């Protein structure tokens, strides 16, 4: 913060006789002191936030006034002048050990201080960049690792943050200000911003209700948007967690907000059966739509055609034209089967809708059903569509299987069982390739989290004709709680919430040589 550089850090670490990496991971005197004291008698670094707070001699009032008459309060920040009052967070000591077994290589964001642009990553491979033209660049930036096709990898936990209650929300990972951040909430009402590299909390706030809603970030990356069970949609300052403004609905907000930057709107559904369009520049609601049932999944916007799609637990799917205001309904379907999963729009303009009875439907922009598919069990998450797996929609089912449907015609390309029910969505690591000397093609990893608490990495391969092989299991890890949070996976790092009351950062590893 004072302008120090790597030379200054090297000088400090030399004088203290410690690894320079600790200077970066514990960037204040009090945090470094606690870490060194803890490390002397333990093989892991278990930093108690209360312990850090006890080292401070001065205090200040962290309670701040909040717009709209509500009373949420900041509960912890990383600035030394603030007392910190959350539970402890645990950071595995292996985070600070250099190992060639860790898949991300030199030049990737986990081993570099340079972040090329402002961008965010959230569940189902949703990526947003500040500059839309650079979206393709960040999505197609990959790091390769040479790895024999007949061998498996493994996973290791790097850090975990204690959230004081179940973490069913999914993380959003943000690249900003030359660093990488993770934002997530839990049923304890706590919402935190965490350094995604180290696992240390940057700031946190306690909202008025339980948080199951996954957050979104505005197009200028200045504010984070998240809802809670009290029906409030919060707009929080990204830099410190302060409340900028709020909007009150009449039901729980579990749907992840969607940013409509062309119109300066945030679209968010509520369990009060309404979809709301909130203008984040003028701080007002400009439109609301009755949807016939609670809105659990996120709506989806077809930017090319200016159409928004939304589905509800009554089974109603609605298409709204966004070309001019007031917005108008283009068409709706009453499917009479609940829709819990978020909707997804493919590159050809079809919207993929997953029903709780196991059916998968693809609508075109006019509302016609293009194709129908069927899984072997209920579906509670949306389809995952990634450029790394061209023309595929990955859908997870409670029967324990992952299905790949061909986007154009709905043909079933493959099915793979992980052995346990799946409630969360899949995620494809678009920034990592596995390269084999014996093949000209590269393999991709797909992260699947079963409700039982097991994390599965599936390896997807192609032959020389472009035909996709049935996935094989590359690695597996068991967490100590159920998982309903959908994972986010970037360059060999997995971020996922768990009902063990922690949000976890998992590293994919392999004993192999790395190439950039």
């Amino acid at each position: 913060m004072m302008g120090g550089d790597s030379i200054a850090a090297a000088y400090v670490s030399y004088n203290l006789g410690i690894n320079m990496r600790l200077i970066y991971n514990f960037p204040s005197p009090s945090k470094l002191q606690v870490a060194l004291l803890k490390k002397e008698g333990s093989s892991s670094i278990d930093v108690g936030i209360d312990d850090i707070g006890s080292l401070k001699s001065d205090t200040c009032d962290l309670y701040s006034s909040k717009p709209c008459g509500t009373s949420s309060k900041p509960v912890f920040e990383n600035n030394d002048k603030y007392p910190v009052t959350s539970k402890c967070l645990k950071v595995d000591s292996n985070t600070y050990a250099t190992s060639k077994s860790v898949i991300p290589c030199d030049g990737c964001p986990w081993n570099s201080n340079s972040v090329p642009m402002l961008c965010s990553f959230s569940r189902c491979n949703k990526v947003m960049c500040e500059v839309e033209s650079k979206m393709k660049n960040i999505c197609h930036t990959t790091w390769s690792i040479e790895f024999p096709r007949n061998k498996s990898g493994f996973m290791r936990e790097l850090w975990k943050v204690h959230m004081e209650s179940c973490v069913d929300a999914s993380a959003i990972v943000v690249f900003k200000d030359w660093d990488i951040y993770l934002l997530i909430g839990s049923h304890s009402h706590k919402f935190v911003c965490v350094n995604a590299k180290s696992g240390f909390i940057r700031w946190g706030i306690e909202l008025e209700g339980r948080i199951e809603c996954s957050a979104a970030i505005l197009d200028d990356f200045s504010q984070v948007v998240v809802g809670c069970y009290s029906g409030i949609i919060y707009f929080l300052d990204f830099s410190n967690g302060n409340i900028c403004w709020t909007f009150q609905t009449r039901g729980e907000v579990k749907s992840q907000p969607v940013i409509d930057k062309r119109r300066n709107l945030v679209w968010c559904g509520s369990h009060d059966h309404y979809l709301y369009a909130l203008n984040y520049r003028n701080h007002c609601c400009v439109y609301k739509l009755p949807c016939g049932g609670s809105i659990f999944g996120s709506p989806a916007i077809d930017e090319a055609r200016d159409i928004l799609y939304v589905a509800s637990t009554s089974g109603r799917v609605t298409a709204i034209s966004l070309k001019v205001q007031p917005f108008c309904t283009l068409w709706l379907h009453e499917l009479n089967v609940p829709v819990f999963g978020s909707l997804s729009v493919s590159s050809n303009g079809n919207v993929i809708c997953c029903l709780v009875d196991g059916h998968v439907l693809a609508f075109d922009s006019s509302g016609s059903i293009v194709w129908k598919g069927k899984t072997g069990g209920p579906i509670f998450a949306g389809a995952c569509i990634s450029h790394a797996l061209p023309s595929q929609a990955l859908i997870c089912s409670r029967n324990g299987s992952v299905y790949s449907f061909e986007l154009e015609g709905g043909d079933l390309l493959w099915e793979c069982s992980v052995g346990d029910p799946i409630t969360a969505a899949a995620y494809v690591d678009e920034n990592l390739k596995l390269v084999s000397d014996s093949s000209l093609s590269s393999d991709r990893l797909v992260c699947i989290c079963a409700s039982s608490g097991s994390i599965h990495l599936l390896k997807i391969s192609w032959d020389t004709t472009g035909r996709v092989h049935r996935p094989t299991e590359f690695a597996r890890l068991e967490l100590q709680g159920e998982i309903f949070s959908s994972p986010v996976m970037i360059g060999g790092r997995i971020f996922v919430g768990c009902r063990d009351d922690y949000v976890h950062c998992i590293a994919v590893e392999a004993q192999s040589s790395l190439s950039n």
Side-chain angles (χ1 to χ4, degrees), residues 258-263 265 267 275 287 289 298-311 317-324 327-333 343-346 348-352 363-368:
V258 171
I259 310 301
D260 182 1
K261 54 187 176 182
R262 290 186 184 177
R263 285 158 279 270
L265 298 178
W267 294 86
L275 175 71
Y287 179 79
L289 175 78
S298 299
I301 298 177
D302 183 344
E303 301 282 1
R305 297 166 181 81
D306 287 321
I307 301 175
L308 179 140
Y309 302 95
V310 61
V317 180
T318 308
I320 305 166
S321 173
L322 304 179
K323 290 183 178 180
V324 294
F327 304 128
C328 63
T329 299
L330 295 176
W331 54 263
L332 65 82
H333 281 283
L343 301 180
S344 299
V345 177
S346 65
N348 62 4
N350 291 341
V351 58
I352 310 300
F363 298 94
D364 64 18
S365 58
S366 67
S368 299

Side-chain angles (χ1 to χ4, degrees), residues 137-413:
N137 293 337
I138 189 65
C139 289
H140 290 268
T141 300
T142 59
W143 301 275
S144 300
I145 176 174
E146 293 181 6
F147 199 84
R149 277 195 163 177
N150 60 345
K151 289 190 177 181
S152 299
F154 61 97
M155 289 181 275
R156 173 172 64 89
E157 183 171 86
L158 290 185
W159 54 258
K160 60 182 180 180
V161 174
H162 190 227
M163 299 290 291
E164 303 183 26
S165 190
C166 300
V167 186
D168 288 340
S170 302
I172 179 171
V173 178
V174 178
F175 286 54
K176 186 177 189 288
D177 295 337
W178 306 99
D179 219 325
I180 307 174
Y181 303 97
L182 175 145
L183 298 109
I184 198 168
S186 80
H187 286 269
S188 68
H189 302 199
K190 300 290 177 60
F191 185 82
V192 298
C193 176
V194 179
N195 185 301
K197 293 183 180 180
S198 66
F200 289 105
I201 297 175
R202 185 187 185 198
W203 55 258
I205 187 170
E206 184 174 339
L207 305 184
E208 288 198 359
R210 296 193 296 172
I211 305 169
E212 193 174 331
C213 171
S214 302
I217 191 164
L218 297 187
D219 60 300
D220 63 359
F221 290 75
S222 63
Q223 296 177 30
V224 182
V225 189
V226 65
C228 69
Y229 273 39
S230 68
I232 300 174
I233 301 171
Y234 292 85
F235 290 74
L236 307 176
D237 190 310
F238 180 83
S239 63
N240 54 28
N242 289 341
I243 297 172
C244 300
W245 71 290
T246 63
F247 179 80
Q248 178 74 61
T249 74
R250 296 185 178 183
E252 299 96 326
V253 178
K254 302 181 182 181
S255 170
Q256 183 179 20
V258 171
I259 310 301
D260 182 1
K261 54 187 176 182
R262 290 186 184 177
R263 285 158 279 270
N264 297 325
L265 298 178
V266 167
W267 294 86
C268 190
S270 170
H271 272 45
D272 66 6
H273 297 192
Y274 278 91
L275 175 71
Y276 296 90
L278 307 179
N279 187 302
Y280 53 82
R281 302 295 185 198
N282 299 327
H283 295 187
C284 62
C285 177
V286 299
Y287 179 79
K288 69 176 185 178
L289 175 78
C291 295
S294 300
I295 303 171
F296 196 93
S298 299
I301 298 177
D302 183 344
E303 301 282 1
R305 297 166 181 81
D306 287 321
I307 301 175
L308 179 140
Y309 302 95
V310 61
S312 73
T313 54
S314 71
R316 179 184 297 179
V317 180
T318 308
I320 305 166
S321 173
L322 304 179
K323 290 183 178 180
V324 294
Q325 294 193 41
F327 304 128
C328 63
T329 299
L330 295 176
W331 54 263
L332 65 82
H333 281 283
E334 297 286 1
L335 304 177
N336 299 317
V337 179
V339 179
F340 285 92
S342 299
L343 301 180
S344 299
V345 177
S346 65
S347 58
N348 62 4
N350 291 341
V351 58
I352 310 300
C353 179
C354 301
L355 281 60
V356 76
D357 66 357
H359 283 91
V360 182
L361 303 179
F363 298 94
D364 64 18
S365 58
S366 67
S368 299
I369 297 177
V370 179
W371 56 263
K372 297 180 181 180
K374 183 73 168 67
T375 67
I379 306 172
F380 288 95
C384 171
I385 300 176
S386 168
H387 73 83
L389 298 179
S391 303
Q392 296 186 55
L394 304 186
I395 295 167
C396 298
S397 171
R398 286 286 296 175
N399 73 339
S401 289
V402 185
Y403 297 82
S404 172
F405 290 97
E406 197 270 323
L407 281 172
E408 193 69 30
D411 294 334
L412 180 62
L413 300 178

Side-chain angles (χ1 to χ4, degrees), residues 86-138:
S86 85
K87 297 277 188 176
C88 69
L89 65 90
K90 181 174 181 179
V91 183
D92 192 298
S93 61
N94 288 331
T95 303
Y96 313 111
T98 57
S99 170
K100 289 187 177 180
S101 65
V102 180
I103 276 185
C105 53
D106 292 339
C108 80
W110 310 116
N111 296 336
S112 172
N113 289 325
S114 62
V115 180
M117 63 193 72
L118 289 170
C119 56
S120 68
F121 299 78
S122 59
R123 60 181 181 177
C124 298
N125 286 88
K126 298 295 191 300
V127 181
M128 183 183 77
C129 290
E130 183 187 35
V131 180
E132 195 70 30
S133 61
K134 294 184 179 180
M135 176 84 75
K136 186 174 181 180
N137 293 337
I138 189 65

